[in-house]
Amino acid sequence: MLKRLLYIQRYLKHLTNSERHYDAGSEQKAPRALEPIPTSINDIENRLRTEFDRCEDIVLRKFKIGGDSSYHTLVVYFDGLVDKEILTSTVINPLMIQAREIIRDIPLNRRSAYEIIKESLLSNCEVESSKDYRFVIERMLTGDSILFVEGLDEAFVTCSRGWEARGVEEPDTEATVRGSREGFTECIRNNTAMIRRRIRNPKLKMEPFILGRQTNTKIIISYIEGIAHQEVVEEVRARIKRIDNDAILESGQLEELINDAPLSLFPTVGNSEKPDKVAAKMLEGRVAILCDGTPFVLTVPYLFVEAFQASEDYYSSSYSSSMIRVFRFIAFLFSIFLPAGYVALITFHRDVIPFELLVTVAAAREGLPFSSFTEAFIMGLIFELLREAGVRMPRPIGQAVSIVGALVLGEATIRAGIAGAPMIIVTAMTAICSFIVPPLNGFMPIVRLTALVCANILGFMGIVIFGAFGVVHLCSLRTFGVPYLFPFAPLHGDDLKDSLVRVPIWAMLTRPALLRSEAKQNKFRIKLHHQKRDSQ
Amino acid sequence: MNRLFKLLPAAAVLFMTVLTTGCWDNRDFQKISIITALGIDLTEDKHVELTIQVLKPGTMKTSLEGGDSSGEKAFAVFSSKGKTVLEAHNNLLLTINREPYYGHLQLIVVGESLEKENIMKYLDFFERYPEMNRQAKMLTARGTKAEKILEAESQMEAIPAAHLRQIVENAEFTGKIKPLSLHELVSFMNLEGRHPVMSTIEFRYTSEKPTISDLHITGSAIMRNDRLVGFIDTIHTRSLLIIRGLAENMIFTIPNPESPGKMLSIDVSDCSVKKTVRIEDGRPAATISVKITGLIGEIQDGGTDLDVEVNKRIEKVFADVVEKDLKNVIDVAQTKLNVDFLGMGELFYKSMPNYWKEVKDDWGNIFPNMQIDIVVEVEIQHTGLISDPSKVR
């Protein structure tokens, strides 16, 4: 096992090294040679037909401009990616019908045809022309329709994208009581629009990338120039450029590829489905990474405290949100240490339990067949199974699952004498607490179980050792050059304003220190330089 | 490999912390029996007899779930014998199925038979055993075996030991006994110039099935160093507590100066004591000044009209009673028992250490002849909710 881990580590080391070489190489790589478009419509058609052989959804429409037999044209698009109404009214109709009058007045020659078509005939709002065959094919694959004209070595790319997509809905993952109910959709264009609608500012930048050799997925990194730290943006760019794989289907895959600590349990890249949340994070100086095909937008750098922040904290009074923040921290600790603490208490440190409680617990445990550790393990396992069953099932069945869980497993295990009532309470409490901090939910069962094992071996001593290791690990993490535990470690007094407590909006005078781009924040720059030196 | 070697010191430190934190174990409740009270007696052949009151969680369970638990007791009492306490403790495992767990021990009852020996001989185990509750209250079983005390059932609680412990702790309000924990007793032994005083409990049969109402707290057992020499009653114990500065709340019932034969109760709310020692004509002497503040808690005679004059007369009587009580207990200490359980030696040890060094060994002869002056100052601050008693006309 250890051997294998070491092997993986060596592999990763090798990978990052080779990526560096690749990175350096890609910058020197010469731009791809232009692939000319054949001037003959028939040539084009043949070429397309061979290239898109057995592609049922491609449509090739051949017709004559204004009925003039010397001007054959070909419109190519993918069925389903194109809004046919727009295509008909802005491309086909003008060229076929309205062109007759123009052609009658001005006889066409090869050169003027290009200008007349582009400037007078195509009434689409986005028309581009290109001499590069590869480029137009790529555009066609994104949903544009392409117009080839007989005798021209240029093709027109007209925007007629339109497909069935999910509407803007309230995200299930981040339900709110107060605040915007809009959620991102699978369409990246909608998503950028939702951000743009919230930050109406020319400084809001959106830089496109195409990733995935096979999927050609569109990735957009978005940030606010002047607020986001330039070096973080560069780092994001560099890391995204390094990616060279077959497919990016969801931002989760991207997240894993640009993660600072790929082997860590803790997430160092954040994600959200809510445009207002992403906009707020960008306004704090973070960089958003949008990925086509998923409503989950990534934000970097991602600090540990962000797991405890909810967008609602900023929309309700600072007292209540501060209180809830503290509860969330407590809930986080509970969800990790509660079963472990319980087991440690009753198998090692009975002396600290008040006598009356001890009697109650002893009575509840009387006649149970398993040790408390086994019991905690079994109950934890049952809970994880129930949760998984509830998540994957359709909603009505999910309810049935929870009823089975609550009644059969909760009540019946006590009656049958498999588990004691205190253990059910501990498990339920742990479950509730683990739901309170959703971003950290993924790794919680692993940590909880490890803590439980430590507690079973050494009691509180084990829990303390385990906790110390955890804190050391958290301190060692960096997210895009920023210490993961900031503002706690390194402690930054000013930035504690939005950590355990949330001070009123009027008292938040400065942007988060480690993220802002002002020159006086030298500390952060040094850190990033350090990081860069490391990686180069 | 190199990295592994670097990690070695860290691993060593971790390993050592694990090993040096002492005794550790992982035992579940199913594997232990919770001992609520423990009694030690001496048999005639000088063997230790250990009696334990064990909780029976199974019966607690039924009572928790609302089932019928009237028939079954929530505890069981077992005894075992051995040459030493540890041996007796070990022999317990021949009778009970689970390992005894003393972490929540409420009471340690010491039989009179044992106290006549050197008690420290037997307390060593309790100090040495790692999982011992040092806050357990110590009681002396007067005139009976400790075992008998542990067998008494409680009418209020499922666990008699919890009931008894609360009674002992109520002493804070009665001022009649001094609750003493195992830890306190042992540290008493280590102090110079003081002799421990343990609360006593007596057993008087009134019924077949012993209950806690058959038990009586009867005062204190007086020990010279760690050996029992005699008993004092609750009134003397109260005076003793005043002298030691440990009393706070207590009741004094005094004759009503306004109408002979009727009584009057003073509820003491504050009691402070100041003790000074000196050498007078080569002999040690001490002054004990007591200041008591109280309120009138009850007047038996409706005819009493309270005014400043009457109040002063009551205070006078009260002061006399306190002074007489204190003198009595000093008399018991000096002449009857000849044990310095009042802690006079300690006063010298603390304020005149050089003198104490000289007389330490001869203190038993010096103490009975020591002059102890008493100054009592009392104040009756108020009279409760009413001033004059309601009158019947």
Side-chain angles (χ1 to χ4, degrees):
Chain A
M1 185 71 200
L2 186 72
K3 219 174 183 179
R4 182 149 179 79
L5 273 177
L6 286 173
Y7 172 74
I8 291 173
Q9 195 214 0
R10 222 176 302 137
Y11 170 71
L12 280 173
K13 227 182 205 170
H14 165 76
L15 205 66
T16 39
N17 278 330
S18 64
E19 264 170 14
R20 274 170 219 151
H21 297 313
Y22 172 75
D23 200 19
S26 71
E27 276 163 29
Q28 291 157 7
K29 204 164 64 181
R32 185 169 46 77
L34 188 134
E35 204 178 323
I37 296 170
T39 46
S40 157
I41 285 288
N42 287 334
D43 285 356
I44 295 172
E45 195 186 344
N46 287 339
R47 191 163 170 183
L48 285 169
R49 287 220 187 272
T50 36
E51 191 168 357
F52 292 96
D53 181 31
R54 279 162 290 153
C55 288
E56 192 262 343
D57 53 347
I58 194 167
V59 178
L60 291 97
R61 171 78 168 92
K62 240 160 89 172
F63 61 93
K64 295 169 192 156
I65 295 179
D68 188 335
S69 57
S70 59
Y71 289 102
H72 279 287
T73 56
L74 178 66
V75 172
V76 194
Y77 61 91
F78 277 103
D79 199 11
L81 293 182
V82 163
D83 188 335
K84 286 180 185 158
E85 206 132 297
I86 296 176
L87 185 65
T88 315
S89 63
T90 63
V91 179
I92 309 224
N93 194 35
L95 286 175
M96 268 173 94
I97 316 293
Q98 291 161 19
R100 289 181 187 178
E101 292 170 23
I102 297 173
I103 290 173
R104 213 182 301 135
D105 298 344
I106 317 159
L108 289 176
N109 61 43
R110 293 288 162 226
R111 203 57 248 159
S112 65
Y114 166 72
E115 269 157 30
I116 288 168
I117 289 170
K118 193 175 181 186
E119 282 159 23
S120 320
L121 283 174
L122 289 179
S123 55
N124 193 292
C125 57
E126 268 179 48
V127 178
E128 268 181 78
S129 57
S130 171
K131 290 185 178 172
D132 187 0
Y133 179 75
R134 271 296 128 211
F135 174 76
V136 298
I137 293 301
E138 268 167 27
R139 293 298 296 267
M140 186 173 76
L141 287 166
T142 66
D144 289 329
S145 42
I146 317 294
L147 175 73
F148 297 102
V149 180
E150 172 81 45
L152 275 188
D153 61 347
E154 250 173 305
F156 301 97
V157 180
T158 56
C159 174
S160 53
R161 282 175 224 178
W163 54 76
E164 290 302 314
R166 198 169 60 98
V168 175
E169 282 166 24
E170 183 171 6
D172 281 338
T173 51
E174 288 160 280
T176 50
V177 178
R178 176 156 186 187
S180 156
R181 295 197 205 296
E182 254 184 355
F184 286 123
T185 65
E186 282 76 6
C187 171
I188 196 166
R189 196 37 75 205
N190 281 353
N191 297 352
T192 56
M194 272 184 254
I195 294 174
R196 179 72 72 180
R197 276 215 305 279
R198 280 174 176 79
I199 306 170
R200 298 167 193 192
N201 192 329
K203 293 242 162 93
L204 174 66
K205 303 299 179 197
M206 308 235 177
E207 295 178 10
F209 292 87
I210 303 287
L211 287 187
R213 284 186 201 168
Q214 308 300 331
T215 56
N216 289 320
T217 311
K218 188 166 189 179
I219 308 290
I220 292 178
I221 66 169
S222 179
Y223 56 92
I224 300 174
E225 197 180 17
I227 294 181
H229 201 295
Q230 208 46 50
E231 284 174 5
V232 172
V233 178
E234 269 164 31
E235 183 70 26
V236 173
R237 265 188 221 128
R239 286 191 195 179
I240 284 184
K241 271 184 198 155
R242 262 186 235 159
I243 296 172
D244 179 23
N245 66 349
D246 268 359
I248 300 285
L249 294 176
E250 216 275 339
S251 51
Q253 297 172 323
L254 201 60
E255 183 178 327
E256 248 180 80
L257 290 167
I258 61 171
N259 210 330
D260 284 66
L263 289 181
S264 175
L265 283 171
F266 292 87
T268 50
V269 174
N271 66 67
S272 175
E273 251 192 290
K274 287 169 64 64
D276 58 333
K277 196 167 166 183
V278 170
K281 286 192 191 293
M282 284 163 70
L283 287 165
E284 281 182 359
R286 292 189 176 84
V287 179
I289 304 167
L290 294 86
C291 176
D292 202 9
T294 174
F296 288 91
V297 172
L298 306 180
T299 52
V300 291
Y302 181 76
L303 303 176
F304 187 60
V305 276
E306 282 179 62
F308 301 94
Q309 297 168 341
S311 57
E312 251 169 301
D313 292 356
Y314 304 92
Y315 305 149
S316 48
S317 105
S318 85
Y319 293 111
S320 60
S321 41
S322 299
M323 188 184 71
I324 288 168
R325 282 261 173 98
V326 174
F327 287 169
R328 279 189 207 127
F329 270 94
I330 295 170
F332 169 68
L333 292 179
F334 269 15
S335 67
I336 288 178
F337 292 119
L338 198 61
Y342 175 71
V343 168
L345 258 187
I346 68 167
T347 60
F348 283 90
H349 315 284
R350 290 171 296 266
D351 303 17
V352 300
I353 311 175
F355 180 64
E356 286 76 11
L357 184 62
L358 181 95
V359 171
T360 318
V361 174
R365 288 201 58 76
E366 186 65 17
L368 295 184
F370 301 119
S371 71
S372 354
F373 169 74
T374 320
E375 206 179 308
F377 183 76
I378 292 174
M379 293 316 288
L381 189 73
I382 287 176
F383 162 63
E384 289 305 328
L385 292 178
L386 271 179
R387 194 172 65 95
E388 188 59 19
V391 169
R392 302 280 166 248
M393 280 288 147
R395 223 156 264 178
I397 303 177
Q399 278 174 359
V401 168
S402 48
I403 289 169
V404 169
L407 290 182
V408 179
L409 294 173
E411 182 73 21
T413 41
I414 301 180
R415 292 224 169 267
I418 307 283
M423 185 53 81
I424 303 281
I425 295 170
V426 165
T427 310
M429 184 78 183
T430 314
I432 292 167
C433 286
S434 71
F435 289 139
I436 290 175
V437 195
L440 303 178
N441 220 334
F443 67 84
M444 221 89 104
I446 304 170
V447 180
R448 194 182 301 142
L449 189 68
T450 322
L452 188 63
V453 171
C454 290
N456 190 45
I457 298 169
L458 284 174
F460 277 149
M461 171 90 181
I463 295 180
V464 167
I465 291 177
F466 173 74
F469 268 105
V471 171
V472 168
H473 172 65
L474 279 175
C475 286
S476 75
L477 285 183
R478 294 282 179 280
T479 159
F480 285 81
V482 182
Y484 191 50
L485 276 189
F486 189 84
F488 303 118
L491 189 69
H492 192 281
D494 236 21
D495 267 14
L496 288 176
K497 64 179 184 280
D498 189 17
S499 52
L500 256 180
V501 293
R502 202 274 291 171
V503 302
I505 295 286
W506 45 259
M508 291 199 191
L509 298 175
T510 50
R511 296 200 184 103
L514 279 199
L515 305 169
R516 71 175 161 223
S517 59
E518 274 96 284
K520 59 180 171 181
Q521 290 302 323
N522 291 326
K523 223 160 111 191
F524 175 49
R525 295 220 164 145
I526 290 164
K527 289 237 159 63
L528 247 196
H529 278 310
H530 183 69
Q531 170 104 5
K532 273 187 115 182
R533 222 183 7 256
D534 264 2
S535 66
Q536 275 171 6
Chain B
M1 243 11 231
N2 234 345
R3 273 183 73 171
L4 281 181
F5 276 124
K6 266 183 203 163
L7 282 173
L8 217 60
V13 167
L14 256 179
F15 194 62
M16 274 190 275
T17 50
V18 170
L19 290 182
T20 52
T21 39
C23 185
W24 62 274
D25 56 352
N26 171 349
R27 279 178 304 164
D28 248 304
F29 276 120
Q30 297 100 309
K31 304 258 165 62
I32 56 166
S33 46
I34 299 164
I35 314 287
T36 52
L38 190 145
I40 22 178
D41 288 297
L42 268 194
T43 57
E44 273 160 19
D45 51 354
K46 298 293 175 197
H47 278 197
V48 178
E49 184 177 6
L50 202 63
T51 310
I52 52 168
Q53 192 183 78
V54 189
L55 193 69
K56 288 201 297 192
T59 53
M60 297 292 292
K61 193 177 187 178
T62 49
S63 67
L64 280 178
E65 282 171 4
D68 178 40
S69 63
S70 52
E72 217 181 335
K73 288 191 285 185
F75 67 96
V77 176
F78 298 99
S79 299
S80 74
K81 292 189 181 86
K83 286 195 199 75
T84 62
V85 183
L86 179 62
E87 197 182 305
H89 157 79
N90 204 261
N91 285 343
L92 272 177
L93 284 169
L94 300 176
T95 358
I96 61 171
N97 54 345
R98 300 164 174 192
E99 198 180 337
Y101 164 66
Y102 300 107
H104 276 275
L105 193 63
Q106 304 289 303
L107 275 184
I108 299 175
V109 183
V110 185
E112 200 181 326
S113 55
L114 189 97
E115 291 205 21
K116 285 176 179 156
E117 295 282 314
N118 290 39
I119 181 172
M120 276 312 276
K121 236 164 66 182
Y122 304 101
L123 288 183
D124 183 81
F125 166 76
F126 296 92
E127 279 191 274
R128 211 174 285 282
Y129 192 75
E131 233 178 12
M132 180 64 64
N133 182 13
R134 282 152 179 268
Q135 298 304 315
K137 298 291 180 218
M138 305 286 293
L139 278 182
T140 301
R142 183 175 178 184
T144 177
K145 281 178 77 181
E147 189 186 346
K148 295 274 174 215
I149 307 286
L150 298 193
E151 273 166 1
E153 269 187 69
S154 162
Q155 299 96 321
M156 305 279 292
E157 306 261 344
I159 309 153
H163 186 156
L164 267 179
R165 187 196 170 100
Q166 273 150 21
I167 290 178
V168 172
E169 279 171 356
N170 281 348
E172 197 187 321
F173 308 107
T174 58
K176 284 181 178 166
I177 50 166
K178 166 76 187 94
L180 192 73
S181 67
L182 172 65
H183 170 77
E184 284 167 327
L185 179 70
V186 172
S187 51
F188 252 93
M189 304 283 188
N190 291 333
L191 276 177
E192 276 194 49
R194 247 212 245 201
H195 298 278
V197 175
M198 255 162 87
S199 304
T200 56
I201 190 155
E202 256 185 77
F203 195 59
R204 294 171 191 159
Y205 277 107
T206 52
S207 62
E208 280 293 298
K209 219 173 152 193
T211 61
I212 284 191
S213 53
D214 298 327
L215 305 176
H216 297 273
I217 301 274
T218 52
S220 307
I222 305 298
M223 286 190 269
R224 178 178 291 124
N225 294 324
D226 60 345
R227 195 189 285 263
L228 179 75
V229 288
F231 297 98
I232 55 173
D233 63 10
T234 49
I235 302 291
H236 284 154
T237 307
R238 181 177 67 188
S239 314
L240 167 67
L241 294 182
I242 292 174
I243 292 176
R244 281 218 174 151
L246 295 170
E248 241 179 49
N249 295 305
M250 53 201 160
I251 306 290
F252 271 92
T253 300
I254 58 171
N256 188 342
E258 296 306 292
S259 48
K262 301 274 171 64
M263 302 305 277
L264 184 153
S265 272
I266 311 271
D267 193 346
V268 174
S269 55
D270 187 45
C271 173
S272 61
V273 65
K274 215 173 151 189
K275 290 170 280 190
T276 51
V277 287
R278 59 187 187 278
I279 310 290
E280 230 175 60
D281 310 329
R283 277 174 45 205
T287 310
I288 299 170
S289 347
V290 181
K291 192 168 183 296
I292 295 178
T293 339
L295 56 96
I296 292 178
E298 188 179 346
I299 302 176
Q300 273 188 343
D301 183 30
T304 316
D305 288 322
L306 287 174
D307 55 28
V308 180
E309 287 305 309
V310 174
N311 205 22
K312 271 189 183 157
R313 280 202 288 278
I314 293 175
E315 280 177 357
K316 174 88 181 46
V317 176
F318 182 25
D320 289 348
V321 168
V322 174
E323 198 176 328
K324 209 178 96 222
D325 276 359
L326 296 186
K327 281 206 166 115
N328 279 343
V329 77
I330 289 168
D331 189 48
V332 168
Q334 286 187 319
T335 56
K336 218 171 126 204
L337 295 175
N338 191 9
V339 180
D340 179 16
F341 58 84
L342 303 173
M344 288 300 133
E346 192 195 6
L347 288 178
F348 282 101
Y349 167 65
K350 279 181 179 166
S351 53
M352 298 180 183
N354 290 331
Y355 175 73
W356 175 249
K357 258 180 222 161
E358 287 168 27
V359 298
K360 194 162 88 176
D361 299 326
D362 202 26
W363 187 245
N365 294 327
I366 295 171
F367 172 70
N369 304 317
M370 182 181 160
Q371 189 197 332
I372 301 175
D373 303 324
I374 294 165
V375 182
V376 178
E377 196 185 323
V378 299
E379 189 191 351
I380 291 172
Q381 271 180 336
H382 62 104
T383 62
L385 281 183
I386 54 171
S387 52
D388 293 347
S390 302
K391 298 205 169 47
V392 183
R393 291 179 210 273

